[in-house]
Amino acid sequence: MNIACGIEYDGTDYHGFQRQPAAHGPTIQGVLETAIARIAGERVVVHGAGRTDAGVHASGQVINFRTTARLAPETWVRALNATLPSTVVVRWAREVPERFHARFSAISRSYRYTIWNDAIPTALLARFTYHRSQPLAVDLMAEACKCLLGTKDFGAFGQSPEDASHPDEAGPHHCIRTMLAASCVRHGVCIFCDFTANAFLTGMVRRIVGTLLLVGQRRLSVEEFAAIVQRADRSHPGVAVPARGLCLVGVSYPEELGLPESSPATATLASAVWPALAGVGAEPAPDGGPAA
């Protein structure tokens, strides 16, 4: 059987999604494989739609694994949630065709980066937001986002695994991606930076947001941001923001697979309690946050 699952996790205490040597610390893939092995009585390999970095969260991660255990999807959900640590939750499970692969079958991924933009930091949401106290011109950040749309070389903001062994080598890189949607919107004290693309480079969203923050501080013009995108060169002043504000909120697949893109219950809870985990389009009512 080929089983797909929707996964939610608090990535704070994990060394990213991808399995690492035990000495490096726990990973999401590692704890999932351990839990599945306990239930199925066999070793399995878990494939994820997005290889989130250390400290990055997910409300809409999708995985798949193959097993000889003949368990119903709802049984997998109950059994896994009874076995996994409380920081990792299975939202749904489906039996999928043998050809399905969580990563290679995906059409797009969506990420949200949440900035807590207030003079006073937050304690309850500190694990899921990035605190910036200075006023930010969100309208300029939103305008700069338009420069990201379309198919282009995003080498200014990240690197492809294919280039990892020679990151500074001259010449074309494997950094062509298609950005389908990009936006920055203020809701109360939170600024939601949302991005949807066919795929993302390593570190891409965090460095895009770091560069957009320079635009929001008026230290970089929209035109200068556009030039950075056009040059596709990593030698620019934008730096990666901390991982804690980043969340993988959704993965899109062909409709014929019948997989849910997000859980309404998760989106509602996240909008009300944990803005960093809110799905794309889940927008809490404005509450009069600081002016840009």
Side-chain angles (χ1 to χ4, degrees):
M1 297 178 70
N2 191 10
I3 303 296
C5 298
I7 308 296
E8 171 186 315
Y9 51 83
D10 173 355
T12 305
D13 300 323
Y14 292 92
H15 197 72
F17 179 87
Q18 195 166 1
R19 189 193 314 107
Q20 303 283 336
H24 290 185
T27 66
I28 301 299
Q29 183 183 24
V31 298
L32 284 167
E33 290 178 348
T34 298
I36 294 167
R38 287 182 60 186
I39 297 164
E42 62 183 358
R43 295 184 63 181
V44 300
V45 176
V46 165
H47 305 284
R51 297 175 179 176
T52 53
D53 292 335
V56 176
H57 317 291
S59 62
Q61 174 73 281
V62 176
I63 66 164
N64 79 288
F65 60 92
R66 290 175 173 80
T67 176
T68 59
R70 310 296 295 184
L71 301 179
E74 57 270 22
T75 303
W76 277 114
V77 174
R78 290 196 303 269
L80 283 169
N81 285 333
T83 306
L84 288 164
S86 61
T87 47
V88 182
V89 170
V90 177
R91 304 298 310 185
W92 54 262
R94 300 282 192 279
E95 184 176 357
V96 289
E98 279 300 311
R99 69 179 184 278
F100 176 84
H101 189 289
R103 179 184 175 195
F104 299 118
S105 298
I107 296 173
S108 65
R109 290 96 171 149
S110 296
Y111 283 87
R112 166 167 285 185
Y113 195 91
T114 303
I115 301 165
W116 183 268
N117 188 213
D118 189 55
I120 306 300
T122 173
L124 295 180
L125 303 180
R127 289 165 68 97
F128 309 110
T129 62
Y130 176 41
H131 177 229
R132 293 301 293 260
S133 60
Q134 65 269 57
L136 295 169
V138 182
D139 57 333
L140 295 180
M141 295 169 66
E143 184 66 24
C145 280
K146 297 177 183 177
C147 306
L148 298 168
L149 298 175
T151 300
K152 56 193 66 184
D153 186 336
F154 285 96
F157 304 111
Q159 66 182 41
S160 167
E162 289 90 340
D163 299 321
S165 57
H166 304 285
D168 300 316
E169 189 174 284
H173 295 147
H174 301 82
C175 297
I176 304 298
R177 300 291 186 271
T178 299
M179 186 72 74
L180 303 169
S183 64
C184 288
V185 180
R186 176 186 296 283
H187 288 283
V189 297
C190 286
I191 298 172
F192 295 139
C193 302
D194 291 326
F195 308 94
T196 298
N198 65 332
F200 288 86
L201 302 171
T202 301
M204 179 173 161
V205 174
R206 291 169 57 199
R207 198 166 187 202
I208 285 176
V209 173
T211 311
L212 286 171
L213 281 173
L214 297 179
V215 175
Q217 296 171 68
R218 303 180 191 275
R219 294 169 54 192
L220 199 69
S221 69
V222 173
E223 291 74 22
E224 289 170 326
F225 180 87
I228 288 172
V229 176
Q230 179 66 30
R231 286 198 302 269
D233 187 335
R234 285 190 285 274
S235 59
H236 61 87
V239 296
V241 288
R244 62 180 175 272
L246 185 59
C247 184
L248 172 59
V249 295
V251 184
S252 178
Y253 292 95
E255 288 186 11
E256 59 266 25
L257 290 172
L259 299 181
E261 291 195 22
S262 62
S263 166
T266 303
T268 301
L269 177 64
S271 298
V273 184
W274 299 311
L277 301 184
V280 173
E283 300 178 347
D287 62 4

